[in-house]
Amino acid sequence: GESGDTITLGAALPVGSGGTGSTTLAGAGLANTPSFFAWRNSNQSISDNTWTKIECGSELYDSDSAYDNSSNYRFTPQTAGKYFFFAGVNSFGGVGTVQYSQSSFYKNGSNHIQFSYWDFDNNYIYGAQLNGGAVIDMNGSSDYVELYNRTNLSSGTPSIQGNSGKPTFFGAYRIIGA
């Protein structure tokens, strides 16, 4: 192209002055934002067999300050679209105590999509690492998503693990073109 021409690659990307220079996908509106990634940096005790919000208070990034990492522990993006949510939840109890563990993305305060571990043979384990992901539509104004867990033990009090070796984490990003 000539200087000032626009090349179309599914989206208009401006060519720099004199046919040189650079442009970025983000500058052309092709960014997977808003996005965030947060984790727990210490263990969180939860009640046995009770849905409890997981408090991921440490952030690696939060592109649009849409994740509240200090009070509500929820993601409320102000851009409408489809978002990919992902989480890894490490729940534990004690040797041979975990009967089941379920984690869920709650949308606007309601259980929306779950991922689970169940022991149907009564061979209870020490802990469960649950990993899940889901695509969730967000309206860009009031919709929010939180991460919850419910773990049932044969005895004792369950915890959500949070440390550098086996962290519990929560994140999301907007899907471009969906």
Side-chain angles (χ1 to χ4, degrees), residues 31-54:
N32 291 99
T33 57
S35 62
F36 82 100
F37 181 87
W39 74 95
R40 285 208 50 80
N41 62 7
S42 62
N43 294 345
Q44 176 182 344
S45 291
I46 61 174
S47 297
D48 189 50
N49 200 26
T50 302
W51 284 106
T52 305
K53 186 188 308 186
I54 298 175

Side-chain angles (χ1 to χ4, degrees), residues 32-39 56-69 73-77 83-87 105 138 145-147 169-174:
N32 291 99
T33 57
S35 62
F36 82 100
F37 181 87
W39 74 95
C56 292
S58 297
E59 291 181 326
L60 179 61
Y61 63 89
D62 184 358
S63 69
D64 294 52
S65 300
Y67 179 71
D68 178 352
N69 71 332
Y73 306 98
R74 66 176 58 158
F75 182 60
T76 311
Y83 286 77
F84 181 73
F85 285 84
F86 56 93
F105 298 116
M138 304 296 281
V145 172
E146 303 161 304
L147 180 62
F169 59 87
F170 179 34
Y173 57 87
R174 186 174 60 87

Side-chain angles (χ1 to χ4, degrees), residues 9-171:
L9 303 170
L13 298 176
V15 174
S17 175
T20 62
S22 63
T23 189
T24 64
L25 293 176
L30 298 175
N32 291 99
T33 57
S35 62
F36 82 100
F37 181 87
W39 74 95
R40 285 208 50 80
N41 62 7
S42 62
N43 294 345
Q44 176 182 344
S45 291
I46 61 174
S47 297
D48 189 50
N49 200 26
T50 302
W51 284 106
T52 305
K53 186 188 308 186
I54 298 175
E55 300 171 353
C56 292
S58 297
E59 291 181 326
L60 179 61
Y61 63 89
D62 184 358
S63 69
D64 294 52
S65 300
Y67 179 71
D68 178 352
N69 71 332
S70 62
S71 61
N72 289 322
Y73 306 98
R74 66 176 58 158
F75 182 60
T76 311
Q78 297 303 297
T79 302
K82 295 183 186 324
Y83 286 77
F84 181 73
F85 285 84
F86 56 93
V89 179
N90 191 345
S91 63
F92 66 99
V95 176
T97 62
V98 177
Q99 296 174 320
Y100 65 81
S101 183
Q102 299 172 282
S103 290
S104 180
F105 298 116
Y106 271 49
K107 181 178 177 183
N108 300 330
S110 296
N111 195 329
H112 190 65
I113 295 175
Q114 293 186 110
F115 42 106
S116 307
Y117 161 81
W118 289 85
D119 185 333
F120 295 105
D121 297 327
N122 296 328
N123 296 320
Y124 305 142
I125 60 174
Y126 173 80
Q129 176 69 43
L130 304 174
N131 296 299
V135 175
I136 301 174
D137 282 314
M138 304 296 281
N139 67 11
S141 60
S142 60
D143 283 346
Y144 62 91
V145 172
E146 303 161 304
L147 180 62
Y148 276 73
N149 179 269
R150 177 173 76 168
T151 297
N152 189 55
L153 303 181
S154 59
S155 65
T157 302
S159 291
I160 301 300
Q161 193 162 15
N163 62 40
S164 60
K166 297 179 183 173
T168 291
F169 59 87
F170 179 34

